Amino acid sequence: MSKIPVIEMFGPTIQGEGAVIGVKTMFVRTYGCDYRCSWCDSAFTWDGTAKDKVTLLEPEAILNGLLELAGNNFDNVTISGGNPALIGEGMAELINLLHARGIRAAIETQGSRWQDWFCDVDVLTISPKPPSSGMVTDWDMLDNIIDRMRDSGRETCSLKVVVFDTVDYQYAKQVHQRYPWVPLYLQPGNEDVTEEGDISARLLARLEWLFNLVIADPGMNQVKVLPQLHALIWHNKRGK
């Protein structure tokens, strides 16, 4: 059985982003990423600064760890990273174990790699990275993932783009025009993930800026603009 590199598990908390915003969830964060986004808010999952926190766990040990943390006080698990799509057999087994207990599995990935277990996920959030990240989108791979999810007949896939500036906004429009049938969520980027204290005023100002762009744009009538809810409430604290 394949083990999964886990850097942290926490919760229950409230999902702050995307299609299941506001839902109570547990979090499992895997270690390792094939991207190096300039503004990554979880760089500790790949930059080596927290490598001593990584534990290789079998899927059953992850489930048991979640139950030890929260008992029966959750029905949803969000698996993020890093990039959990780097993990094959072990992730498929974890999803099966969660489903066997009636627990829904949500995955967050950037859309750089396909895994067959995507079709078994209850909520698949694909978050391609805009130009401000310094990363270059592999459109062929993203096309492949979106097409295979559509062909599977599962309406479990959505897109999320973090927007820092007008160039990123134009990128988000490109994503929406390319995959108009896929729900698209936009959120303003957090420009300083190390700032201490209450950052809500700064984040709300950025949210208003993004609201105004979408309000004025007839090409974005179907997108949903959301805050990072957890950052508004808990700011830059880890494990929230």
Side-chain angles (χ1 to χ4, degrees):
M1 183 181 295
S2 298
K3 293 185 177 181
I4 296 173
V6 175
I7 194 164
E8 63 179 359
M9 294 190 288
F10 61 90
T13 186
I14 299 298
Q15 171 60 266
E17 303 178 0
V20 288
I21 189 170
V23 173
K24 182 165 67 174
T25 188
M26 299 295 290
F27 270 87
V28 176
R29 196 180 294 279
T30 63
Y31 187 80
C33 192
D34 48 337
Y35 276 18
R36 299 291 184 268
C37 296
S38 61
W39 38 251
C40 181
D41 62 1
S42 53
F44 63 93
T45 63
W46 53 261
D47 66 6
T49 58
K51 197 170 184 178
D52 59 327
K53 308 289 187 187
V54 180
T55 306
L56 290 174
L57 296 175
E58 293 184 353
E60 188 170 356
I62 295 173
L63 174 60
N64 290 338
L66 294 170
L67 294 172
E68 288 175 11
L69 282 171
N72 65 352
N73 189 26
F74 69 100
D75 292 325
N76 299 277
V77 173
T78 299
I79 304 168
S80 62
N83 184 9
L86 299 179
I87 302 162
E89 178 185 350
M91 192 62 68
E93 177 64 19
L94 176 58
I95 293 165
N96 288 337
L97 287 173
L98 293 171
H99 285 166
R101 295 186 68 96
I103 299 169
R104 289 166 56 84
I107 297 284
E108 299 180 356
T109 180
Q110 62 261 46
S112 60
R113 183 173 299 197
W114 168 262
Q115 290 286 356
D116 288 344
W117 51 257
F118 283 0
C119 295
D120 298 323
V121 173
D122 298 288
V123 180
L124 177 66
T125 299
I126 300 172
S127 183
K129 306 307 178 186
S132 64
S133 70
M135 300 294 102
V136 177
T137 300
D138 182 343
W139 292 106
D140 289 339
M141 175 56 70
L142 195 53
D143 287 348
N144 177 56
I145 293 172
I146 297 296
D147 288 344
R148 291 175 76 165
M149 290 302 298
R150 181 168 60 172
D151 292 345
S152 74
R154 297 288 303 279
E155 295 184 2
T156 58
C157 177
S158 64
L159 289 155
K160 181 184 73 177
V161 178
V162 181
V163 179
F164 281 84
D165 54 35
T166 55
V167 176
D168 286 355
Y169 182 75
Q170 291 304 316
Y171 172 89
K173 285 193 68 172
Q174 182 182 1
V175 170
H176 190 43
Q177 290 165 358
R178 195 177 186 103
Y179 315 111
W181 63 92
V182 182
L184 173 62
Y185 297 85
L186 303 185
Q187 70 183 48
N190 181 356
E191 295 171 310
D192 186 351
V193 298
T194 63
E195 181 183 354
E196 297 182 357
D198 188 343
I199 62 173
S200 58
R202 173 167 63 79
L203 296 181
L204 287 170
R206 297 296 294 168
L207 183 62
E208 183 181 14
W209 166 80
L210 188 53
F211 276 175
N212 288 333
L213 287 179
V214 171
I215 288 168
D217 190 342
M220 300 290 265
N221 290 347
Q222 297 300 317
V223 307
K224 296 180 175 66
V225 185
L226 298 174
Q228 283 188 303
L229 193 60
H230 57 290
L232 286 176
I233 302 301
W234 293 302
H235 315 301
N236 282 326
K237 293 178 182 177
R238 282 270 302 275
K240 292 291 187 180

